[in-house]
Amino acid sequence: MVTDSGIWRGGENHTFVLSPSVYHVTPSEKTELEKLGQALYDCLGGLGRIATIAFDPKLHHSNTWNKFSKVLGIEIPNVYRHIMPLKPSLVPAICKVDLMKSEDGRYCIAEIDGHNKHGLGYSTLAARLRQALYPEARSFPGVAVSLAASIKRLGKDAVTLLYSDRERFYLPEFTILKSGLADSGIRTTIVGENDVVMNGNGDFATKEGEEIHELFIDFPFLFSNQFLNVRLADLYGKGEIDFLIPPKPFFGSKAVLALIKNDEGDEDLEAILKSQIPSRSLELLRRYIPPTYLVHKGENRDYWSSKMNGTSFVIKESVSSGMKGVAFRGDSEFEETLSLASRSFYRFILQEEVHNFPQRFSYYSEKGELLEDDWFMRITVHYSMRSVGDIVVTARRDKKVHGAPDSLQLGTIISD
């Protein structure tokens, strides 16, 4: 099944360890995660409204609003500046939340990413494996099924998956997602930024003549085709195209966790958050976020050391993917990264380390032997329309869990 998916034609970096195991979620955990999803979407909608005000200097006049503007605008290309405030309350059709399970069995949020289509193909493949292994088991709908439902709700039956040159690595899993959407009756055009051309009518098409549909999965950062970049922004501003994942890149910034958590107790920041986010949803989401601080230039290195107070912390770049820009306390690069963070504005967060609870899974060795071992997990919940679309687990025997040739990719079932 994995071979037929084509994922391994992408080279060694797309390999992973095969396993006949799945991750089990209890009915009570399912209910818990569904409630978390409802609170998450309330918070994302509120952040969208806050961003619309923060990005317009005519609508505010305080240092705290300026802080929101700076944090939510970190490393965002200029082409997004005038379209991010559009549709203030619009939330992603699919939002990824990375959870860790602590030693006492609690779910803890490591990352919220509402501006990223990466991983949707792996989740689709994991769902197929889960279906093959446990065809009668209860499960979540699946990422492709959930996305297809969002597309049909908009009255569409086709979508464009546009990728930048820097996203070529993900092409094999984009193809898996396309296949999953086709199973739900959705046509998908996959096209790279430099393979988009104008046809005789002035409309976009691929070089092969495939139609580019007016609904896109997302608006990726385009670095080579600047004409396309500007044109898409213009069309979105006019309401002629749309995106399932709205062009609000701050939904993928780790700095948002620190803003939501507000562990420094900033009263003005709290007032702004509660002006747009229901208090009940804000408090519920906060219960899942470990102590998290937005590192800023106003405080020295000793201040941040006092916040850690001898506890294990992780430092993370606000805008990064996977384990890039992540250092655990005790790593050789931790102190150097913290010093760099203390000299910058809002480009790093400090987050208390979740002592990841390992779980025993089966796997196949290179010789085909069925073995067992303890694996640390990253539990990725894909939320769609306020509900759990699916859960995929990435597991490694190292606590620095990310997709790698020595990782497992597991689907999820709902156990009794």
mmCIF file of all heavy atoms in Angstrom, residues 200-227:
data_model
loop_
_atom_site.group_PDB
_atom_site.id
_atom_site.type_symbol
_atom_site.label_atom_id
_atom_site.label_comp_id
_atom_site.label_asym_id
_atom_site.label_seq_id
_atom_site.Cartn_x
_atom_site.Cartn_y
_atom_site.Cartn_z
ATOM 1 N N GLY A 200 -5.065 32.309 -23.537
ATOM 2 C CA GLY A 200 -5.506 33.370 -24.450
ATOM 3 C C GLY A 200 -6.598 34.246 -23.890
ATOM 4 O O GLY A 200 -6.761 35.402 -24.313
ATOM 5 N N ASN A 201 -7.364 33.748 -22.925
ATOM 6 C CA ASN A 201 -8.445 34.531 -22.322
ATOM 7 C C ASN A 201 -7.980 35.357 -21.124
ATOM 8 O O ASN A 201 -8.784 36.021 -20.471
ATOM 9 C CB ASN A 201 -9.578 33.602 -21.873
ATOM 10 C CG ASN A 201 -10.198 32.857 -23.029
ATOM 11 O OD1 ASN A 201 -10.346 33.423 -24.118
ATOM 12 N ND2 ASN A 201 -10.546 31.592 -22.808
ATOM 13 N N GLY A 202 -6.669 35.279 -20.850
ATOM 14 C CA GLY A 202 -6.157 35.999 -19.688
ATOM 15 C C GLY A 202 -6.348 35.256 -18.386
ATOM 16 O O GLY A 202 -6.126 35.818 -17.316
ATOM 17 N N ASP A 203 -6.753 33.982 -18.471
ATOM 18 C CA ASP A 203 -6.937 33.167 -17.275
ATOM 19 C C ASP A 203 -5.697 32.308 -17.050
ATOM 20 O O ASP A 203 -4.945 32.006 -17.976
ATOM 21 C CB ASP A 203 -8.160 32.260 -17.422
ATOM 22 C CG ASP A 203 -9.444 33.061 -17.568
ATOM 23 O OD1 ASP A 203 -9.556 34.110 -16.912
ATOM 24 O OD2 ASP A 203 -10.325 32.623 -18.341
ATOM 25 N N PHE A 204 -5.533 31.853 -15.824
ATOM 26 C CA PHE A 204 -4.416 30.976 -15.494
ATOM 27 C C PHE A 204 -4.692 29.553 -15.970
ATOM 28 O O PHE A 204 -5.827 29.089 -15.991
ATOM 29 C CB PHE A 204 -4.172 30.944 -13.986
ATOM 30 C CG PHE A 204 -3.570 32.211 -13.440
ATOM 31 C CD1 PHE A 204 -4.146 32.849 -12.367
ATOM 32 C CD2 PHE A 204 -2.416 32.739 -14.000
ATOM 33 C CE1 PHE A 204 -3.594 34.005 -11.840
ATOM 34 C CE2 PHE A 204 -1.859 33.895 -13.488
ATOM 35 C CZ PHE A 204 -2.444 34.535 -12.408
ATOM 36 N N ALA A 205 -3.609 28.858 -16.318
ATOM 37 C CA ALA A 205 -3.661 27.435 -16.635
ATOM 38 C C ALA A 205 -2.276 26.871 -16.347
ATOM 39 O O ALA A 205 -1.326 27.618 -16.089
ATOM 40 C CB ALA A 205 -4.039 27.208 -18.097
ATOM 41 N N THR A 206 -2.157 25.550 -16.376
ATOM 42 C CA THR A 206 -0.836 24.952 -16.251
ATOM 43 C C THR A 206 -0.194 24.884 -17.638
ATOM 44 O O THR A 206 -0.874 25.030 -18.660
ATOM 45 C CB THR A 206 -0.914 23.531 -15.670
ATOM 46 O OG1 THR A 206 -1.483 22.653 -16.657
ATOM 47 C CG2 THR A 206 -1.790 23.493 -14.419
ATOM 48 N N LYS A 207 1.107 24.665 -17.675
ATOM 49 C CA LYS A 207 1.800 24.548 -18.959
ATOM 50 C C LYS A 207 1.268 23.382 -19.773
ATOM 51 O O LYS A 207 1.357 23.381 -21.002
ATOM 52 C CB LYS A 207 3.308 24.393 -18.728
ATOM 53 C CG LYS A 207 3.993 25.678 -18.275
ATOM 54 C CD LYS A 207 5.493 25.486 -18.104
ATOM 55 C CE LYS A 207 6.174 26.796 -17.719
ATOM 56 N NZ LYS A 207 7.625 26.625 -17.501
ATOM 57 N N GLU A 208 0.712 22.381 -19.091
ATOM 58 C CA GLU A 208 0.144 21.215 -19.781
ATOM 59 C C GLU A 208 -1.303 21.463 -20.198
ATOM 60 O O GLU A 208 -1.944 20.583 -20.777
ATOM 61 C CB GLU A 208 0.215 19.979 -18.875
ATOM 62 C CG GLU A 208 1.622 19.423 -18.662
ATOM 63 C CD GLU A 208 2.437 20.297 -17.725
ATOM 64 O OE1 GLU A 208 1.830 20.934 -16.837
ATOM 65 O OE2 GLU A 208 3.670 20.355 -17.877
ATOM 66 N N GLY A 209 -1.819 22.637 -19.873
ATOM 67 C CA GLY A 209 -3.185 22.961 -20.282
ATOM 68 C C GLY A 209 -4.257 22.591 -19.282
ATOM 69 O O GLY A 209 -5.453 22.729 -19.564
ATOM 70 N N GLU A 210 -3.873 22.125 -18.098
ATOM 71 C CA GLU A 210 -4.864 21.804 -17.070
ATOM 72 C C GLU A 210 -5.498 23.094 -16.526
ATOM 73 O O GLU A 210 -4.841 24.134 -16.419
ATOM 74 C CB GLU A 210 -4.208 21.064 -15.913
ATOM 75 C CG GLU A 210 -3.897 19.615 -16.165
ATOM 76 C CD GLU A 210 -3.389 18.946 -14.886
ATOM 77 O OE1 GLU A 210 -2.181 19.019 -14.628
ATOM 78 O OE2 GLU A 210 -4.217 18.377 -14.147
ATOM 79 N N GLU A 211 -6.758 22.986 -16.182
ATOM 80 C CA GLU A 211 -7.464 24.138 -15.626
ATOM 81 C C GLU A 211 -6.984 24.419 -14.208
ATOM 82 O O GLU A 211 -6.762 23.513 -13.412
ATOM 83 C CB GLU A 211 -8.965 23.850 -15.601
ATOM 84 C CG GLU A 211 -9.799 24.994 -15.040
ATOM 85 C CD GLU A 211 -11.270 24.625 -14.943
ATOM 86 O OE1 GLU A 211 -11.617 23.464 -15.279
ATOM 87 O OE2 GLU A 211 -12.051 25.492 -14.519
ATOM 88 N N ILE A 212 -6.802 25.704 -13.906
ATOM 89 C CA ILE A 212 -6.510 26.122 -12.537
ATOM 90 C C ILE A 212 -7.808 26.643 -11.938
ATOM 91 O O ILE A 212 -8.375 27.631 -12.410
ATOM 92 C CB ILE A 212 -5.399 27.189 -12.501
ATOM 93 C CG1 ILE A 212 -4.071 26.542 -12.920
ATOM 94 C CG2 ILE A 212 -5.287 27.817 -11.117
ATOM 95 C CD1 ILE A 212 -2.884 27.467 -12.878
ATOM 96 N N HIS A 213 -8.293 25.960 -10.926
ATOM 97 C CA HIS A 213 -9.596 26.261 -10.344
ATOM 98 C C HIS A 213 -9.512 27.489 -9.439
ATOM 99 O O HIS A 213 -8.467 27.794 -8.862
ATOM 100 C CB HIS A 213 -10.106 25.044 -9.575
ATOM 101 C CG HIS A 213 -9.958 23.762 -10.328
ATOM 102 N ND1 HIS A 213 -10.736 23.451 -11.427
ATOM 103 C CD2 HIS A 213 -9.088 22.727 -10.176
ATOM 104 C CE1 HIS A 213 -10.364 22.272 -11.906
ATOM 105 N NE2 HIS A 213 -9.367 21.815 -11.166
ATOM 106 N N GLU A 214 -10.634 28.186 -9.289
ATOM 107 C CA GLU A 214 -10.649 29.445 -8.542
ATOM 108 C C GLU A 214 -10.549 29.245 -7.032
ATOM 109 O O GLU A 214 -10.308 30.190 -6.283
ATOM 110 C CB GLU A 214 -11.909 30.233 -8.868
ATOM 111 C CG GLU A 214 -13.194 29.512 -8.502
ATOM 112 C CD GLU A 214 -14.428 30.217 -9.009
ATOM 113 O OE1 GLU A 214 -14.316 31.014 -9.960
ATOM 114 O OE2 GLU A 214 -15.518 29.966 -8.457
ATOM 115 N N LEU A 215 -10.751 28.012 -6.571
ATOM 116 C CA LEU A 215 -10.562 27.693 -5.160
ATOM 117 C C LEU A 215 -9.205 27.016 -4.987
ATOM 118 O O LEU A 215 -8.917 26.009 -5.642
ATOM 119 C CB LEU A 215 -11.677 26.776 -4.658
ATOM 120 C CG LEU A 215 -11.576 26.339 -3.189
ATOM 121 C CD1 LEU A 215 -11.671 27.535 -2.249
ATOM 122 C CD2 LEU A 215 -12.667 25.311 -2.860
ATOM 123 N N PHE A 216 -8.356 27.570 -4.113
ATOM 124 C CA PHE A 216 -7.023 27.029 -3.843
ATOM 125 C C PHE A 216 -6.985 26.466 -2.427
ATOM 126 O O PHE A 216 -7.723 26.923 -1.546
ATOM 127 C CB PHE A 216 -5.963 28.130 -3.955
ATOM 128 C CG PHE A 216 -5.746 28.659 -5.351
ATOM 129 C CD1 PHE A 216 -6.679 29.486 -5.958
ATOM 130 C CD2 PHE A 216 -4.591 28.336 -6.050
ATOM 131 C CE1 PHE A 216 -6.479 29.988 -7.238
ATOM 132 C CE2 PHE A 216 -4.371 28.827 -7.331
ATOM 133 C CZ PHE A 216 -5.324 29.653 -7.924
ATOM 134 N N ILE A 217 -6.104 25.485 -2.214
ATOM 135 C CA ILE A 217 -5.935 24.973 -0.853
ATOM 136 C C ILE A 217 -5.305 26.041 0.029
ATOM 137 O O ILE A 217 -5.756 26.306 1.137
ATOM 138 C CB ILE A 217 -5.122 23.667 -0.845
ATOM 139 C CG1 ILE A 217 -5.991 22.526 -1.403
ATOM 140 C CG2 ILE A 217 -4.653 23.329 0.576
ATOM 141 C CD1 ILE A 217 -5.348 21.175 -1.400
ATOM 142 N N ASP A 218 -4.235 26.695 -0.467
ATOM 143 C CA ASP A 218 -3.621 27.772 0.301
ATOM 144 C C ASP A 218 -2.891 28.727 -0.638
ATOM 145 O O ASP A 218 -2.835 28.503 -1.857
ATOM 146 C CB ASP A 218 -2.661 27.209 1.360
ATOM 147 C CG ASP A 218 -1.369 26.644 0.766
ATOM 148 O OD1 ASP A 218 -1.360 26.273 -0.432
ATOM 149 O OD2 ASP A 218 -0.363 26.566 1.490
ATOM 150 N N PHE A 219 -2.346 29.783 -0.081
ATOM 151 C CA PHE A 219 -1.544 30.754 -0.817
ATOM 152 C C PHE A 219 -0.126 30.660 -0.257
ATOM 153 O O PHE A 219 0.227 31.351 0.692
ATOM 154 C CB PHE A 219 -2.110 32.161 -0.619
ATOM 155 C CG PHE A 219 -1.472 33.232 -1.461
ATOM 156 C CD1 PHE A 219 -1.970 34.519 -1.420
ATOM 157 C CD2 PHE A 219 -0.386 32.981 -2.293
ATOM 158 C CE1 PHE A 219 -1.405 35.537 -2.183
ATOM 159 C CE2 PHE A 219 0.190 33.974 -3.065
ATOM 160 C CZ PHE A 219 -0.323 35.266 -3.001
ATOM 161 N N PRO A 220 0.699 29.775 -0.824
ATOM 162 C CA PRO A 220 2.051 29.583 -0.276
ATOM 163 C C PRO A 220 2.947 30.780 -0.547
ATOM 164 O O PRO A 220 2.662 31.602 -1.420
ATOM 165 C CB PRO A 220 2.545 28.337 -1.023
ATOM 166 C CG PRO A 220 1.822 28.377 -2.326
ATOM 167 C CD PRO A 220 0.467 28.958 -2.030
ATOM 168 N N PHE A 221 4.037 30.890 0.212
ATOM 169 C CA PHE A 221 5.026 31.927 -0.062
ATOM 170 C C PHE A 221 5.689 31.599 -1.406
ATOM 171 O O PHE A 221 6.309 30.543 -1.560
ATOM 172 C CB PHE A 221 6.096 31.949 1.019
ATOM 173 C CG PHE A 221 5.625 32.484 2.354
ATOM 174 C CD1 PHE A 221 4.322 32.905 2.532
ATOM 175 C CD2 PHE A 221 6.489 32.563 3.423
ATOM 176 C CE1 PHE A 221 3.887 33.405 3.756
ATOM 177 C CE2 PHE A 221 6.076 33.059 4.656
ATOM 178 C CZ PHE A 221 4.765 33.474 4.828
ATOM 179 N N LEU A 222 5.543 32.470 -2.379
ATOM 180 C CA LEU A 222 6.132 32.275 -3.702
ATOM 181 C C LEU A 222 7.374 33.160 -3.826
ATOM 182 O O LEU A 222 7.309 34.358 -3.566
ATOM 183 C CB LEU A 222 5.118 32.627 -4.796
ATOM 184 C CG LEU A 222 3.771 31.884 -4.743
ATOM 185 C CD1 LEU A 222 2.876 32.335 -5.892
ATOM 186 C CD2 LEU A 222 3.986 30.372 -4.790
ATOM 187 N N PHE A 223 8.479 32.576 -4.231
ATOM 188 C CA PHE A 223 9.737 33.309 -4.274
ATOM 189 C C PHE A 223 10.255 33.513 -5.703
ATOM 190 O O PHE A 223 11.069 34.403 -5.942
ATOM 191 C CB PHE A 223 10.800 32.579 -3.449
ATOM 192 C CG PHE A 223 10.436 32.437 -2.007
ATOM 193 C CD1 PHE A 223 9.826 31.284 -1.528
ATOM 194 C CD2 PHE A 223 10.686 33.453 -1.106
ATOM 195 C CE1 PHE A 223 9.471 31.153 -0.191
ATOM 196 C CE2 PHE A 223 10.343 33.342 0.230
ATOM 197 C CZ PHE A 223 9.734 32.177 0.686
ATOM 198 N N SER A 224 9.785 32.705 -6.655
ATOM 199 C CA SER A 224 10.304 32.784 -8.021
ATOM 200 C C SER A 224 9.377 33.564 -8.951
ATOM 201 O O SER A 224 9.833 34.358 -9.764
ATOM 202 C CB SER A 224 10.519 31.372 -8.597
ATOM 203 O OG SER A 224 11.453 30.662 -7.822
ATOM 204 N N ASN A 225 8.092 33.335 -8.840
ATOM 205 C CA ASN A 225 7.128 33.921 -9.762
ATOM 206 C C ASN A 225 6.422 35.108 -9.092
ATOM 207 O O ASN A 225 5.319 34.989 -8.568
ATOM 208 C CB ASN A 225 6.112 32.861 -10.193
ATOM 209 C CG ASN A 225 5.279 33.301 -11.380
ATOM 210 O OD1 ASN A 225 5.111 34.485 -11.636
ATOM 211 N ND2 ASN A 225 4.738 32.326 -12.100
ATOM 212 N N GLN A 226 7.078 36.261 -9.116
ATOM 213 C CA GLN A 226 6.532 37.427 -8.429
ATOM 214 C C GLN A 226 5.268 37.961 -9.111
ATOM 215 O O GLN A 226 4.385 38.508 -8.454
ATOM 216 C CB GLN A 226 7.588 38.529 -8.342
ATOM 217 C CG GLN A 226 8.691 38.224 -7.349
ATOM 218 C CD GLN A 226 8.146 37.889 -5.956
ATOM 219 O OE1 GLN A 226 7.376 38.658 -5.383
ATOM 220 N NE2 GLN A 226 8.517 36.721 -5.441
ATOM 221 N N PHE A 227 5.177 37.797 -10.425
ATOM 222 C CA PHE A 227 3.958 38.219 -11.118
ATOM 223 C C PHE A 227 2.757 37.442 -10.584
ATOM 224 O O PHE A 227 1.704 38.014 -10.287
ATOM 225 C CB PHE A 227 4.084 37.999 -12.628
ATOM 226 C CG PHE A 227 2.789 38.190 -13.371
ATOM 227 C CD1 PHE A 227 2.309 39.464 -13.666
ATOM 228 C CD2 PHE A 227 2.018 37.089 -13.756
ATOM 229 C CE1 PHE A 227 1.092 39.647 -14.325
ATOM 230 C CE2 PHE A 227 0.808 37.263 -14.424
ATOM 231 C CZ PHE A 227 0.352 38.548 -14.708
#
